[in-house]
Amino acid sequence: MSKKLFIKTYGCQMNVYDYDRMVDILAPLGYSLSDKVEGADMVILNTCHIREKAEEKVYSDLGRIKPFKQKKLAQDENMFIAVAGCVGQAEGAEIMRRAPYVDIVLGPQTYHRLPEMIAQAERAKGRPTQPGRGILDVDFPAEPKFDSLPKIQAGANPAAFLSIQEGCDKFCTFCVVPYTRGAEYSRPVATILEEARQLAEMGTKELHLLGQNVSAYHGQAPSGSGEWGLGSLLRELAEIQGVERLRYTTSHPRDMDDELLSAHRDLPQLMPYLHLPIQSGSDRILEAMNRKHSSEQYRQVVADLQKVRPDLVMSSDFIVGFPGETDQNFEDTLQLVRDINYAQAYSFKYSPRPGTPGATMINQVPEEVKVERLAQLQTLLNKQQLEFNQSTVGQTMEVLLEKPAKQPGQYLGRSPYMQSVIVKATPRLLGKIIQAKVTYAGANSVQGEIITDETELALSA
Ligand code: SAH
Ligand code: SF4
Ligand code: F3S
């Protein structure tokens, strides 16, 4: 009998990738996705620990799920509740203590063992009413999970994520990722190519390579000896029949090398949009963050990239109110933003994370200062994003149509610059790359009209 599986994913794109893999792992056990917690046989919260707010959400969601589990228990049925992802990794025992009705806690590196954990939970009749009765599996495995994942099924969308790396060794002083995802590991090239070919065969046109530091990728070469960097990997992926677009996230300014630069120059498939986080425009703060690069080096990397790929537009992440950030340091960030001129960017208030060096720094910035700086930075970034979108009005660009939009008859796609593009289309065009002329620009999306010749499309179908 088919069992119902509800998964909620928080956090970064790596968690989205992991979500699809968990669906693949649980399918042979008879679980299929449901969009409701009520009545589900298994509920997984795939969590994020990056900022305090993300973590708090997990506990409030657990509180909301509990009555649904109680209802099932009252009917002599069960609902397994699992907390996966980075909060599971960082706070496993704490979750078990605070929410003893949670059956299973696992981390981003252990979800391939879910079937064993479920079997164990079933033996325990799935009723861990006492703290410590639940199943906790957060030990980093000796063998990376990638080797034990089933053949890819879920997530073969027109644009699909492909994880090429796990973990991080950079230890920025604000960040939990090295603790929640463990040491950096690059998947061997051969297994990535195999997954990419599977996705392409299932109709994926755009591959979005994922890792916390993909520019530091160094996977085993297909020959078995030596290693390849990201640039070589991208070149090989571009050769795969059906792969028309390539993107990668996230990269670190410190290891953008010549090989990667030349990939941007030579590969038309590599899209002209790059998310390259800098966090702060102040060298003093960058040093305190242990980023190991200056704002000048970042500017140089961007200039070098735009020299070889003049249409490349930039995106970044920023943190305001890192300990010790002065008004002048913050002004340096604003100046950097004015100079680079971003097409899009994310910005956050610094959130002290337990166990990271930043959390115990003595010169924490008051909340109201953080709020004020974030508002100022976001006003500037939003203005730049709108201006970028407006600059594309009248342009004709290729748009990969990914899914239906909210309004009937409208579809949502992505431009090469990662803009959300809304067009009127027919279902037949889903998953296809069409030519669209941008007619209107909003802050978060643009609208376009399809100008692709229908006969041309019929021939290419
Ligand atoms: N690996 C990526 C980023 C991973 S986390 C990189 O090196 O850039 C995603 C973003 O969350 C970071 O770029 C940072 O801007 C933000 N972030 C991470 N830790 C944070 C914290 N403690 N407080 C606020 N924002 C944080
Ligand atoms: Fe976190 Fe820094 Fe690693 Fe990015 S590079 S994941 S910000 S420690
Ligand atoms: Fe969050 Fe973990 Fe990603 S902490 S941002 S889900 S790596």
Side-chain angles (χ1 to χ4, degrees):
M1 196 191 73
S2 161
K3 292 179 250 180
K4 286 188 214 137
L5 169 66
F6 175 88
I7 311 186
K8 177 171 175 184
T9 283
Y10 319 59
C12 66
Q13 293 144 327
M14 303 198 65
N15 263 13
V16 176
Y17 177 86
D18 292 344
Y19 164 96
D20 286 327
R21 298 293 73 77
M22 286 193 267
V23 174
D24 286 345
I25 289 167
L26 295 178
L29 304 188
Y31 285 98
S32 54
L33 273 179
S34 151
D35 55 5
K36 282 202 308 273
V37 173
E38 186 163 17
D41 299 287
M42 170 111 193
V43 172
I44 303 179
L45 299 183
N46 190 22
T47 61
C48 172
H49 200 237
I50 205 82
R51 283 168 292 274
E52 197 180 352
K53 260 200 193 140
E55 182 192 336
E56 275 166 11
K57 263 191 224 148
V58 178
Y59 289 105
S60 62
D61 282 348
L62 279 173
R64 274 199 291 270
I65 293 164
K66 187 181 171 187
F68 292 111
K69 175 169 176 130
Q70 284 167 330
K71 198 168 152 193
K72 284 207 90 177
L73 288 175
Q75 295 162 348
D76 218 25
E77 289 175 9
N78 201 0
M79 170 192 283
F80 289 122
I81 302 180
V83 177
C86 292
V87 180
Q89 187 67 45
E91 301 218 338
E94 174 73 2
I95 296 168
M96 292 290 188
R97 196 183 60 76
R98 275 178 68 175
Y101 47 92
V102 168
D103 300 86
I104 298 172
V105 175
L106 61 153
Q109 304 300 355
T110 52
Y111 63 76
H112 57 294
R113 295 199 290 249
L114 253 174
E116 295 159 46
M117 295 177 222
I118 294 175
Q120 239 181 308
E122 274 165 354
R123 282 196 296 276
K125 301 227 186 321
R127 294 184 189 195
T129 48
Q130 302 291 319
R133 293 266 313 268
I135 293 144
L136 177 67
D137 183 355
V138 291
D139 291 336
F140 290 124
E143 291 301 311
K145 68 182 176 215
F146 293 112
D147 297 345
S148 4
L149 296 181
K151 199 167 175 265
I152 206 139
Q153 292 295 327
N157 301 317
F161 291 133
L162 202 176
S163 226
I164 65 166
Q165 180 197 51
E166 262 297 346
C168 178
D169 290 337
K170 294 261 193 308
F171 290 93
C172 300
T173 54
F174 52 82
C175 183
V176 291
V177 172
Y179 311 95
T180 62
R181 287 195 176 250
E184 194 272 348
Y185 166 78
S186 293
R187 281 177 85 177
V189 172
T191 69
I192 296 169
L193 294 178
E194 192 187 321
E195 196 167 313
R197 286 193 196 102
Q198 283 172 19
L199 286 165
E201 272 165 28
M202 289 189 278
T204 293
K205 294 218 164 45
E206 176 177 311
L207 290 177
H208 196 147
L209 310 184
L210 293 183
Q212 288 298 351
N213 252 297
V214 286
S215 43
Y217 174 83
H218 60 104
Q220 188 189 56
S223 66
S225 75
E227 288 180 343
W228 280 18
L230 181 61
S232 306
L233 177 68
L234 286 164
R235 278 178 198 274
E236 199 67 19
L237 288 166
E239 295 290 319
I240 296 177
Q241 177 84 26
V243 173
E244 298 188 34
R245 289 176 159 198
L246 292 166
R247 302 182 190 274
Y248 61 87
T249 316
T250 304
S251 41
H252 196 293
R254 178 171 138 195
D255 34 43
M256 300 293 291
D257 59 11
D258 288 346
E259 189 192 311
L260 193 50
L261 196 70
S262 64
H264 279 279
R265 183 192 60 208
D266 300 337
L267 301 178
Q269 292 94 335
L270 192 51
M271 290 289 100
Y273 167 93
L274 182 65
H275 182 65
L276 186 64
I278 183 165
Q279 316 295 356
S280 167
S282 151
D283 287 343
R284 219 191 109 240
I285 297 300
L286 287 173
E287 198 179 338
M289 287 174 163
N290 192 31
R291 293 289 290 183
K292 296 211 170 82
H293 62 81
S294 65
S295 91
E296 187 46 42
Q297 281 163 330
Y298 179 88
R299 287 166 200 261
Q300 194 56 51
V301 170
V302 174
D304 291 346
L305 284 162
Q306 288 179 331
K307 196 163 161 207
V308 299
R309 187 77 206 238
D311 59 342
L312 184 82
V313 300
M314 299 300 301
S315 159
S316 178
D317 290 342
F318 295 93
I319 295 177
V320 300
F322 184 79
E325 187 186 68
T326 63
D327 285 342
Q328 181 55 49
N329 299 151
F330 175 62
E331 176 52 37
D332 293 342
T333 298
L334 292 176
Q335 191 54 46
L336 177 107
V337 172
R338 287 183 208 112
D339 294 344
I340 301 284
N341 196 11
Y342 289 95
Q344 196 265 355
Y346 303 93
S347 46
F348 314 98
K349 282 184 294 179
Y350 171 66
S351 168
R353 307 307 291 129
T356 61
T360 49
M361 289 180 183
I362 46 167
N363 39 8
Q364 300 288 326
V365 172
E367 177 66 16
E368 60 276 16
V369 177
K370 289 187 204 172
V371 170
E372 165 60 29
R373 287 182 188 165
L374 186 67
Q376 226 181 313
L377 176 60
Q378 289 187 338
T379 304
L380 177 60
L381 289 169
N382 291 345
K383 181 171 156 271
Q384 290 189 346
Q385 184 170 330
L386 178 63
E387 281 169 1
F388 172 70
N389 284 344
Q390 284 168 339
S391 76
T392 60
V393 172
Q395 279 185 36
T396 296
M397 48 175 97
E398 289 192 335
V399 175
L400 172 58
L401 289 185
E402 293 182 24
K403 55 184 176 202
K406 277 188 205 129
Q407 302 287 335
Q410 292 195 335
Y411 289 81
L412 193 72
R414 293 270 185 192
S415 78
Y417 309 108
M418 205 66 181
Q419 295 157 293
S420 296
V421 185
I422 298 164
V423 293
K424 265 201 204 117
T426 52
R428 188 176 77 75
L429 296 179
L430 258 187
K432 299 224 158 58
I433 295 178
I434 50 101
Q435 297 278 338
K437 185 172 175 179
V438 179
T439 52
Y440 170 81
N444 298 313
S445 63
V446 300
Q447 289 172 16
E449 268 167 21
I450 297 187
I451 58 162
T452 310
D453 178 13
E454 292 281 314
T455 48
E456 197 183 304
L457 264 177
L459 287 172
S460 70

